[in-house]
C-alpha cells in the first residue's frame, strides 16, 4: 500500500462529491465486486481508503432519457387541466402495460383558449403507439385530434416544453429499473 496521503476516506469523498455516505458505500461495494482495484482500495482499522485517482468513480452522474416520439393531443371540447393530467397518466399506463414497461414519458399541458397536451415518449415504434392511442377510452370519448411524430431535436423539444409550464416526468415505480 502507498502512503495514506494519496487516499481518501469515505467521509472525505462525501465532502468532495454530491453523494450521501450510503451512496458512496453502495458504489464501493460495486467496485469491490468488480475486482481489479486491490491496489487502489484497501481497508485499515475498519476504515476504507480509496486512491485519489478513483474520485471520478464517485462523482454524481445523470442518465439522459432518450425520447423518440412526440405526441400532441387536442380536443374540440373544453377540458380542464386536471382532466388533461388524467389523460396523460392514462396514456402512460397504456404504454407501460401494452408496449414497453421501461418507456419514460414526459408531458406538459399547454394552456391556451382550448388546452392541449404534449407528450414525449421513449417508446420508438410509431405504428404500435398509434394503435394503443386509438384504443384509449379517454381519447375516443372526447373527439381528439392526435399527432404522433418522430423526435429529431431533443433539446429544441425540451425548450418547447418549458416555454409555458414545467414538464412533468412520469417516474417509474421503485421496483422497475430501466435497462442499463
Amino acid at each position: 500500500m502507498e502512503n495514506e496521503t494519496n487516499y481518501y476516506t469515505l467521509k472525505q469523498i462525501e465532502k468532495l462529491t454530491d453523494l450521501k455516505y450510503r451512496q458512496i458505500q453502495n458504489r464501493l461495494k460495486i467496485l469491490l465486486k468488480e475486482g481489479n482495484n486491490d491496489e487502489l482500495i484497501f481497508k485499515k482499522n475498519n476504515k476504507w481508503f480509496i486512491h485519489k485517482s478513483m474520485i471520478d468513480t464517485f462523482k454524481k452522474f445523470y442518465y439522459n432519457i432518450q425520447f423518440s416520439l412526440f405526441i400532441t393531443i387536442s380536443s374540440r371540447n373544453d377540458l380542464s387541466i386536471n382532466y388533461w393530467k388524467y389523460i396523460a397518466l392514462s396514456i402512460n399506463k397504456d404504454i407501460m402495460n401494452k408496449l414497453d414497461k421501461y418507456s419514460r414519458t414526459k408531458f406538459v399541458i399547454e394552456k391556451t383558449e382550448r388546452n392541449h397536451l404534449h407528450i414525449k415518449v421513449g417508446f420508438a415504434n410509431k405504428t404500435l403507439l398509434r394503435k394503443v392511442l386509438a384504443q384509449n377510452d379517454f381519447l375516443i370519448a372526447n373527439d381528439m385530434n392526435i399527432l404522433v411524430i418522430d423526435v429529431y431535436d431533443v433539446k429544441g423539444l425540451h425548450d418547447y416544453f418549458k416555454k409555458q409550464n414545467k414538464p412533468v416526468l412520469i417516474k417509474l415505480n421503485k421496483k422497475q429499473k430501466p435497462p442499463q
Side-chain angles (χ1 to χ4, degrees):
M1 302 302 152
E2 290 185 34
N3 184 358
E4 288 180 14
T5 58
N6 292 332
Y7 291 82
Y8 292 123
T9 63
L10 299 185
K11 290 279 187 191
Q12 291 171 322
I13 291 174
E14 183 180 21
K15 292 176 184 172
L16 294 171
T17 64
D18 291 336
L19 298 177
K20 304 286 185 216
Y21 190 80
R22 188 68 168 159
Q23 293 171 313
I24 295 169
Q25 287 178 319
N26 290 336
R27 290 206 186 167
L28 177 63
K29 286 179 190 176
I30 292 169
L31 288 173
L32 293 172
K33 281 183 185 177
E34 290 174 355
N36 304 327
N37 298 313
D38 295 336
E39 64 279 350
L40 300 175
I41 301 171
F42 69 92
K43 191 173 186 178
K44 181 178 176 183
N45 296 333
N46 211 22
K47 253 189 189 176
W48 283 103
F49 291 90
I50 292 125
H51 195 270
K52 291 182 177 183
S53 66
M54 296 192 68
I55 192 68
D56 287 341
T57 309
F58 295 93
K59 298 276 176 156
K60 198 172 221 177
F61 56 89
Y62 300 94
Y63 291 109
N64 286 335
I65 300 170
Q66 296 300 317
F67 293 105
S68 303
L69 296 172
F70 173 65
I71 306 166
T72 297
I73 302 172
S74 60
S75 176
R76 292 183 185 156
N77 303 326
D78 191 17
L79 304 174
S80 70
I81 298 293
N82 287 334
Y83 196 78
W84 281 113
K85 285 180 188 176
Y86 196 77
I87 290 172
L89 294 174
S90 170
I91 291 169
N92 181 65
K93 185 178 176 184
D94 286 348
I95 291 169
M96 292 184 81
N97 291 337
K98 297 177 181 175
L99 297 176
D100 181 9
K101 67 180 179 178
Y102 297 116
S103 181
R104 300 301 300 273
T105 305
K106 190 177 251 188
F107 74 91
V108 67
I109 300 164
E110 192 167 334
K111 298 174 185 170
T112 57
E113 54 185 72
R114 291 205 188 273
N115 300 330
H116 57 279
L117 178 67
H118 297 293
I119 303 173
K120 294 188 281 189
V121 181
F123 186 72
N125 189 322
K126 192 187 308 186
T127 307
L128 289 176
L129 181 61
R130 282 185 176 144
K131 285 181 183 177
V132 167
L133 292 174
Q135 297 170 357
N136 185 294
D137 292 333
F138 297 104
L139 299 179
I140 295 168
N142 288 295
D143 195 23
M144 300 284 189
N145 284 329
I146 303 167
L147 173 68
V148 180
I149 59 172
D150 293 312
V151 173
Y152 297 106
D153 180 14
V154 177
K155 184 181 178 340
L157 186 58
H158 186 66
D159 292 343
Y160 180 73
F161 264 48
K162 291 180 0 183
K163 77 176 186 178
Q164 190 174 24
N165 295 356
K166 183 177 179 187
V168 178
L169 175 66
I170 301 175
K171 301 199 182 219
L172 293 172
N173 295 337
K174 291 188 180 190
K175 293 177 186 174
Q176 296 174 318
K177 297 203 176 181
Q180 300 293 328

